[in-house]
Amino acid sequence: MADRLTQLQDRLDQLATQFYASLRYLSTHHSSSSTLPPSSHVAPFPATDTNPHQRPDTPTTFAAAQRELATDLVEKVQEIEYLTGTLPGLDKSEESQVRKIQKLEQELRRVEEERKAAVGERRKCLGVLEEVIGKVGRVKD
């Protein structure tokens, strides 16, 4: 499984993609009707559409799609907030983080010493094994 930072970056990329897809859908599936209230003194934008790719949905379908797109965006943002909240160190002081790093360094040194001892033991066992094999080979000859 990917680490938290990679997961966070993936979710941010997905959010950007969802933003683009949402805007694309909204721009290609909206009706060309005016969004201004009837009492507005501003002249409405002409309803002539020059976009050949526009395929307006019915108002019900368009509203349902808007809700679904909004829900998807909110869910993705919640995932990002959760991942951000699980990042290590956000709730700890610098001193406690330094102490934890020092403790981990000490543990790493101890484990490295154990590894070196195990390598030495392996070499010793290998030497004994080679002696035994050599003696067996001489006995057969």
Side-chain angles (χ1 to χ4, degrees):
M1 176 172 237
D3 63 274
R4 289 183 190 134
L5 287 177
T6 303
Q7 291 175 351
L8 184 58
Q9 182 62 51
D10 289 346
R11 295 310 186 288
L12 288 169
D13 291 344
Q14 291 168 358
L15 181 63
T17 301
Q18 281 181 299
F19 274 132
Y20 173 78
S22 297
L23 289 173
R24 177 84 173 138
Y25 174 83
L26 294 173
S27 67
T28 58
H29 290 82
H30 70 86
S31 67
S32 297
S33 63
S34 174
T35 58
L36 297 174
S39 65
S40 176
H41 298 324
V42 179
F45 189 75
T48 59
D49 188 11
T50 58
N51 184 356
H53 301 292
Q54 186 176 14
R55 299 173 306 276
D57 285 339
T58 64
T60 306
T61 303
F62 188 69
Q66 283 179 314
R67 280 190 297 280
E68 183 178 347
L69 291 170
T71 301
D72 291 345
L73 290 172
V74 168
E75 287 174 358
K76 192 58 66 180
V77 168
Q78 288 173 342
E79 289 176 22
I80 290 169
E81 287 175 353
Y82 171 76
L83 287 171
T84 302
T86 62
L87 290 174
L90 292 179
D91 59 343
K92 297 180 181 174
S93 68
E94 184 177 347
E95 294 83 23
S96 68
Q97 291 181 34
V98 168
R99 281 193 303 274
K100 179 157 183 151
I101 289 171
Q102 289 171 344
K103 180 181 172 188
L104 290 171
E105 286 174 343
Q106 289 173 351
E107 184 179 344
L108 180 62
R109 281 189 219 105
R110 181 186 56 78
V111 169
E112 179 64 18
E113 290 300 320
E114 289 175 6
R115 186 193 68 80
K116 286 179 181 177
V119 167
E121 182 69 25
R122 181 187 61 103
R123 286 184 181 147
K124 205 163 94 177
C125 290
L126 185 60
V128 170
L129 183 61
E130 286 174 348
E131 272 184 47
V132 169
I133 291 173
K135 287 179 183 177
V136 169
R138 280 184 247 138
V139 169
K140 279 187 160 184
D141 292 339

